[in-house]
Amino acid sequence: MHAIQRSAVVAPVAREKKALVTISSLEKRYRSRDRADVHALCDINLAIEDGSFVTIVGPSGCGKSTLLRILAGILARSSGSVRMGQTEIDGPSRQVGVVFQSPVLLPWRTVVDNVMVPSEVQRLDLGAARKRARELLALVGLADFEDRYPGELSGGMQQRVGICRALVHQPSVLLMDEPFGALDAMTRETMNVELLRIWREQNITIILVTHSIPEAIFLADRVVVMTPRPGRVAEVVDVHLPRPRTLAMFNTPDFGRYVTTIRRHFGSVGTE
Amino acid sequence: MSVLSSVSVRRPSRLDRAKAQVGWLSALLLLVILVVWEAAVRMLDIPAIVLPTPIAVFEALGEGLGTGSYLPHIAVTFTEIICGFLAGAGLGIALGILIGQSLFLERLLYPYVVAFQTVPKVAIAPIIVIWFGYGLSSKVIITAAIAFFPLLANTIVGLRSAPTEQIDMLRAHTATEWQIFRMSRLPQALPFIFVGLDVAIVLSVIGAIVGEFVGAKEGLGFLILQKNFNFDMAGVFAILLVLSLIGVGLHLLMTTIQRRVLFWANSNQIHVTGL
Ligand SMILES: Nc1ncnc2c1ncn2[C@@H]1O[C@H](COP(=O)(O)OP(=O)(O)O)[C@@H](O)[C@H]1O
Ligand SMILES: [Mg+2]
C-alpha cells in the first residue's frame, strides 16, 4: 500500500531479522458528531521484529491505547496499513494475546477456567488447554490458586492470571496496555522481572505500552517514544543493556543515559 | 516467585451479628403489636365484624387448615401464582434478551412495552376474565402480565451492564457475538435478572388475587370475597395471613436460589428494580 516514508524511524536492525508486525503510514481519527474530530495517531511507521520486546512510551492521551487496540484488531484504523507477517490485520487474530490495564477476569469462573477463555473461544483441545493453563499458572507462582475465584486474589495475582490467559492459546504476539499501571511500585518491579522470564521461556513477541520511562527501558529491546497528541513516533531507541536484566540495572549510568535520552522528548512535562 | 500478596477471605462480620439482633427485635415487636391489638379490641369493645382479635384470627386459621377446607383453594391460588410467574418471567427475559440485542429494537419496541406497563393490570383484569373465562387461564394471564415487566426491564439493563473491557478482552481473543453473550453479557445480567425475579414473584401473588377478585369459583381470593360476604372477618384475616406466608416463602426461596447462583456477586452492588 503506502511506502514507508519516515525510514529514519525504522532502524537498520529491522532488516537483519524478520519483521513480524509492520505498521506503515497508520492514521487514526476518532470521528464524532457533536465535537471536533480527535486526531489520535499521525503517520505511524514501525517494524517490529519477531521475538523482540518492544515498549511504547508516551504521555497520557498520546494514542498508545489506540495503537494497541488497532494492533489487537478491535479498533478500525482510518488509513494506512498494519500487517502481521504478510497478512493485513482486519480484525482480531488467533495469533494475538492481549492484557489490559485491569485484569478483566470473569468473577464467576475459577482462576484456571479464566485462563482457559481464549482456548474455549477458539475451540482448541480443552484437555491440552487445561494442561497448558496449569503450567502457565505454575510459571507465575499461582499453582495453588487454580481453583480459587478471582475475588479471592490480590491485584497483582489477578494481573498474573490475565497474563496467563493471554498466553494460553500460544499466540505469537502479546499486546499489553499498561499492564502494571494499577500495581504498587514493589509488585510492579517483581512483575517486570517475571514478565522478562516469561518472554524468554515462551519465545514470543511482546509489545507493551507504558507511561513509565524506566519500565519501558528495563523491559525493551527497543523503546518507541511517542509525542503528545496527535501521536507520532518521536524516536525509536535501541536498548543495549545486557540480558538477563536485573533490578540493579536501574541504578547504572547506562540506564540513566537512556532515561535522559527519552525524557528529552517530553521537556518539562515528563510522563511520570 | 514472590507470592507475598495476601488472600482476602470473607468471615462473619459485626454486621452479621447486628443483623441477627435486629431479627430478634423485629420478632419482639410483632409480639407487642399482637398483644396491644388483642387488648385494644377487648377494651374498646370493637365488634368482630369490624376487627377480629388476633386470637380469633389464629383460631380461624387453625380451623381452616385443620379441617383441610383451605387446602384446595391454596392449591389453586399457588398454581396460578407459579404458572403466571413462570410465564411472565419467561416472556420478560426472552423479550428482554431480544430487545437487548440492539438499540434499534429497543427504540422500536420499548415505547409499546412502556405503554402497556402504564395500563393498570387491575383495569384489564375484567376483560381478561371475559376472554379467557373463570378458570385457571385468566388468572395465569393476569399474573403473567404483572410479572412480565420487572424481568423485561432488568434483563435489558443487565445485558447492557457488561464492562466494555470484558467485551474487548473476549473480542480481542476472537470471540463471536454469541460467545460474548454467553460468556459475559448473560452472566453479568444475572444479578439484575434475580432482582427482577424477586420483585415479580411477590407481584405474582397480587396478580393471582386480583384475577380471582374479578371472577373465580375457587382460590384464596375467592375465599376472601366469600368470607367478607358472610362478615367472617377472622376468616378473612386468616387467609390474608396464609397469602402473606406464601409470599414470604416464595421470596425466601428466591433469595436462596439467588445466593447459590450468584455466589460470585458482590452483595453491595446496586441494582435497578424496574418498577
Ligand atoms: N472512543 C474515542 N472517541 C473519541 N476520542 C477518543 C476515543 N478513545 C480515545 N480518544 C482520544 O484519543 C486520544 C488518545 O487516546 P488513548 O489512545 O487512550 O491514549 P493513551 O492510551 O496514550 O493515554 C485521547 O485524546 C483520547 O481522548
Ligand atoms: Mg491508555
Side-chain angles (χ1 to χ4, degrees), chain A residues 69 92 97-98 100 102 104 106-109 117 121-122 141 145 148-149 152 154 160 165 190 194, chain B residues 1-3 5-8 165-166 168-175 179 183-184 187-188 263-264:
Chain A
R69 290 164 62 83
V98 184
F100 296 93
S102 66
V104 227
L106 306 175
W108 49 85
R109 282 176 171 246
V117 164
V121 162
Q122 299 175 9
F145 294 87
R148 301 291 191 100
Y149 286 88
E152 301 174 86
S154 71
R160 284 190 182 89
R165 178 181 58 198
T190 1
E194 252 178 64
Chain B
M1 214 138 301
S2 85
V3 192
S5 353
S6 68
V7 180
S8 69
E165 278 211 313
Q166 217 172 69
D168 279 349
M169 182 276 293
L170 287 169
R171 193 165 281 153
H173 292 115
T174 69
Q179 285 172 328
M183 296 173 106
S184 167
Q188 285 289 348
F263 64 91
W264 48 270

Side-chain angles (χ1 to χ4, degrees), chain A residues 101-179:
Chain A
Q101 175 162 7
S102 66
V104 227
L105 302 179
L106 306 175
W108 49 85
R109 282 176 171 246
T110 60
V111 163
V112 68
D113 285 343
N114 264 287
V115 174
M116 300 266 293
V117 164
S119 309
E120 256 179 76
V121 162
Q122 299 175 9
R123 301 182 199 290
L124 305 179
D125 173 0
L126 290 188
R130 186 167 294 271
K131 188 161 165 284
R132 171 145 170 96
R134 292 227 167 89
E135 285 166 9
L136 286 167
L137 286 168
L139 183 70
V140 299
L142 289 179
D144 295 337
F145 294 87
E146 287 172 3
D147 299 321
R148 301 291 191 100
Y149 286 88
E152 301 174 86
L153 268 56
S154 71
M157 294 160 96
Q158 290 190 23
Q159 196 56 294
R160 284 190 182 89
V161 176
I163 293 171
C164 292
R165 178 181 58 198
L167 292 169
V168 74
H169 53 301
Q170 301 194 284
S172 43
V173 181
L174 182 58
L175 302 175
M176 309 179 88
D177 191 354
E178 304 196 26

Side-chain angles (χ1 to χ4, degrees), chain B residues 182-201:
Chain B
R182 195 166 49 80
M183 296 173 106
S184 167
R185 288 193 211 276
L186 194 59
Q188 285 289 348
L190 279 181
F192 293 81
I193 290 176
F194 265 102
V195 170
L197 287 173
D198 195 23
V199 172
I201 194 85

Side-chain angles (χ1 to χ4, degrees), chain A residues 37 59 151 157 164 180 212 226 243 254:
Chain A
D37 289 0
M157 294 160 96
C164 292
F180 310 130
S212 156
M226 288 182 67
R243 293 195 186 267
D254 274 347

Side-chain angles (χ1 to χ4, degrees), chain A residues 186-240:
Chain A
M186 294 262 285
T187 317
R188 190 169 182 158
E189 287 181 351
T190 1
M191 293 289 284
N192 280 338
V193 175
E194 252 178 64
L195 181 61
L196 285 176
R197 191 168 49 85
I198 290 169
W199 171 63
R200 214 166 50 233
E201 289 176 20
Q202 299 294 312
N203 218 345
I204 193 171
T205 308
I206 298 186
I207 305 174
L208 179 144
V209 158
T210 175
H211 59 249
S212 156
I213 295 172
E215 182 175 80
I217 298 165
F218 178 73
L219 294 171
D221 294 321
R222 315 174 79 194
V223 180
V224 177
V225 186
M226 288 182 67
T227 63
R229 219 172 72 199
R232 298 169 189 269
V233 176
E235 190 183 357
V236 176
V237 179
D238 285 303
V239 180
H240 296 294

